[in-house]
């Protein structure tokens, strides 16, 4: 009898065009002040450049409304990341020597882990400006800092107008931990910062 009832309900749902309920989204990020994505991710890190590991000291400073993360080795800055932190979003402003205009939102407040959005803007390096678009997706992931922590993983799939018939592709990935900021990031295969 139960089987007949279940079959009848399924047929009725299909007949009326009903769809199964969407799976629930991940945890909610309500407030930038609680998540603190602009925090110092740790004082030591490993910078991996084209497969070569370089231990670095991580320093954080403010430049107006931008959070500047500097990676130091042998008494000099070897790489710099800039993030724009507002009450509504945590944005990538500059990385790998390229400035993002408009800044690329990595987190939005409020949001649910699992949310996705799109971006359109320009990447500028000196006098060179390239139009770009990106799809940003968020998910939950574990990262070791050095103990396992739950992070918001932000994946950026970017297309750049390179002048060729097909756009150039680039992938950026960020792992953000509440109260610790960007603890790990990958800029394609060429540059990775991870906890040291």
């Amino acid at each position: 009898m139960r089987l007949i009832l279940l079959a009848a309900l399924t047929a009725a749902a299909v007949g009326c065009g009903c769809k199964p309920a969407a799976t629930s989204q991940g945890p909610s990020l309500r407030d930038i002040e609680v998540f603190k994505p602009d925090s110092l991710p740790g004082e030591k890190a490993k910078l991996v450049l084209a497969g070569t590991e370089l231990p670095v000291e991580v320093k954080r400073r403010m430049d107006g409304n931008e959070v500047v993360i500097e990676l130091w080795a042998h008494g000099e800055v070897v790489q710099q990341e800039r993030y724009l932190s507002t009450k509504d979003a945590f944005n990538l402003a500059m990385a790998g020597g390229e400035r993002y205009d408009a800044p690329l939102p990595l987190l939005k407040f409020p949001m649910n882990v699992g949310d996705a959005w799109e971006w359109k803007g320009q990447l500028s390096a000196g006098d060179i400006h390239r139009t770009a678009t990106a799809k940003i997706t968020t998910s939950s992931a574990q990262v070791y800092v050095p103990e396992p922590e739950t992070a918001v993983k932000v994946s950026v799939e970017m297309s750049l107008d390179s002048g060729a018939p097909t756009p150039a592709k680039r992938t950026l990935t960020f792992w953000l931990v509440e109260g610790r900021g960007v603890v790990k990031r990958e800029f394609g295969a060429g540059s990775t910062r991870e906890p040291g």
Side-chain angles (χ1 to χ4, degrees), residues 41-187:
E43 295 180 358
K44 302 285 182 191
K46 284 188 295 188
L47 181 61
V48 183
L49 298 170
T52 303
E53 280 188 19
L54 177 66
V56 292
E57 183 181 353
V58 182
K59 296 183 181 179
R60 174 195 174 275
R61 66 179 173 84
M62 295 299 295
D63 183 6
N65 56 358
E66 286 187 351
V67 180
V68 182
I69 302 292
E70 294 177 331
L71 308 180
W72 286 74
H74 310 295
E76 63 183 6
V77 177
V78 292
Q79 276 198 357
Q80 187 182 88
E81 304 160 30
R82 288 180 172 256
Y83 301 93
L84 177 64
S85 188
T86 70
K87 67 180 182 63
D88 299 321
F90 185 71
N91 308 277
L92 178 63
M94 192 272 291
E98 294 176 312
R99 181 159 286 282
Y100 291 75
D101 183 29
L104 190 149
L106 301 178
L107 299 177
K108 294 184 173 188
F109 296 93
M111 65 170 274
N112 290 310
V113 177
D115 286 355
W117 51 87
E118 294 183 352
W119 171 86
K120 184 174 182 178
Q122 281 195 334
L123 265 66
S124 302
D127 293 334
I128 299 169
H129 307 283
R130 293 185 289 174
T131 302
T133 59
K135 178 163 182 158
I136 299 102
T137 57
T138 62
S139 61
S140 185
Q142 274 207 332
V143 65
Y144 292 84
V145 285
E147 297 299 318
E149 295 253 8
T150 300
V152 178
K153 181 180 177 183
V154 180
S155 302
V156 179
E157 297 296 331
M158 187 173 294
S159 295
L160 298 139
D161 180 9
S162 60
T166 57
K169 301 290 185 187
R170 184 181 294 174
T171 301
L172 310 173
T173 312
F174 302 82
W175 289 261
L176 295 101
V177 172
E178 184 176 334
R180 301 191 67 172
V182 182
V183 297
K184 181 179 176 182
R185 59 87 178 141
E186 292 178 355
F187 299 154

